[in-house]
Amino acid sequence: LLGFQCRVLHETSASSYWSTFRAFIAQAYKEGYLKENINDNLDKIEAKETRREYLTMDELKKLYNTPCDPPVLRAASLFSCLTGLRISDILQLRWEDIRDFPDGGKCVRLCTEKTETEATIPISQEALELCGTPGTGLVFKDLTRLIVNTKLKPWLKKCGITKYITFHCFRHTFATLQVNEGTDIYTVS
């Protein structure tokens, strides 16, 4: 009637939001803004285990071998699969963040946007080549969230990949490839 759309939250999102709200209530009680801790009367929303989608090696090869319009989406997607970087970090990645690694080769050194932690990530020659010609400023300068949101699904379809893959799934692909190569789960996490 009024043009509002009602969307149902995924149980995992609802659990996360509710947990944050409960933490806010606990902090308010701790600081004396509330006379009693009402969390004692609130039920928890249990998060269900979710399926984490990722690309298999064959699907990754399809991604590599299929042209994409715009090409920067292909490069950034494959870069994420090879480094595990989030879209937020790839969008802000600067050439100045790519440095010589003390043990040889190159690494990405940046402060991650989501966790605000300093990260040093060794990168392969293949990943470095996806960045294009070294310069200054943004590495994937023509990449935007709009491009990712509108062009990723058609490209995946063109590759013949039918499962539900988001850009974030490229991080899962990186982790899965690492585990399959024998890297221990502690290091991957």
Side-chain angles (χ1 to χ4, degrees):
L1 293 167
L2 298 174
F4 293 109
Q5 288 186 341
C6 180
R7 294 183 186 229
V8 178
L9 280 179
H10 189 277
E11 218 167 309
T12 305
S13 298
S15 173
S16 177
Y17 294 153
W18 188 244
S19 178
T20 301
F21 176 72
R22 287 175 46 98
F24 173 76
I25 295 294
Q27 188 65 33
Y29 171 70
K30 185 177 176 182
E31 293 181 15
Y33 293 106
L34 298 174
K35 293 185 190 290
E36 64 178 289
N37 186 358
I38 62 173
N39 274 332
D40 297 339
N41 303 320
L42 299 176
D43 293 330
K44 292 182 180 178
I45 299 175
E46 297 296 330
K48 287 186 178 176
E49 189 64 30
T50 57
R51 180 182 170 105
R52 305 242 192 286
E53 289 290 358
Y54 61 92
L55 298 175
T56 64
M57 184 57 81
D58 286 340
E59 290 167 331
L60 189 54
K61 288 176 183 175
K62 287 179 183 178
L63 212 64
Y64 178 82
N65 290 318
T66 305
C68 177
D69 182 36
V72 69
L73 177 59
R74 177 185 171 276
S77 299
L78 292 168
F79 187 81
S80 180
C81 290
L82 295 176
T83 62
L85 284 176
R86 294 176 182 90
I87 183 63
S88 56
D89 297 324
I90 288 176
L91 287 169
Q92 70 177 3
L93 183 65
R94 304 180 70 73
W95 283 105
E96 296 79 16
D97 299 327
I98 299 175
R99 303 177 184 179
D100 291 327
F101 198 60
D103 295 338
K106 295 285 187 181
C107 67
V108 172
R109 185 125 190 236
L110 53 81
C111 181
T112 61
E113 185 172 298
K114 182 176 180 181
T115 62
E116 296 181 355
T117 56
E118 184 78 21
T120 301
I121 303 164
I123 58 172
S124 64
Q125 184 61 35
E126 293 84 3
L128 187 59
E129 288 171 6
L130 290 165
C131 297
T133 306
T136 58
L138 295 174
V139 174
F140 300 103
K141 63 181 107 205
D142 296 328
L143 186 68
T144 64
R145 285 190 188 270
L146 180 63
I147 288 172
V148 172
N149 292 338
T150 59
K151 302 290 185 174
L152 182 60
K153 286 181 185 174
W155 178 45
L156 290 166
K157 185 176 181 181
K158 187 176 174 183
C159 294
I161 299 170
T162 57
K163 59 188 171 186
Y164 182 72
I165 297 290
T166 64
F167 198 95
H168 186 77
C169 295
F170 298 144
R171 280 177 58 80
H172 301 228
T173 300
F174 170 75
T176 303
L177 293 173
Q178 292 299 305
V179 170
N180 288 344
E181 290 293 318
T183 305
D184 67 274
I185 195 71
Y186 177 77
T187 303
V188 172
S189 68

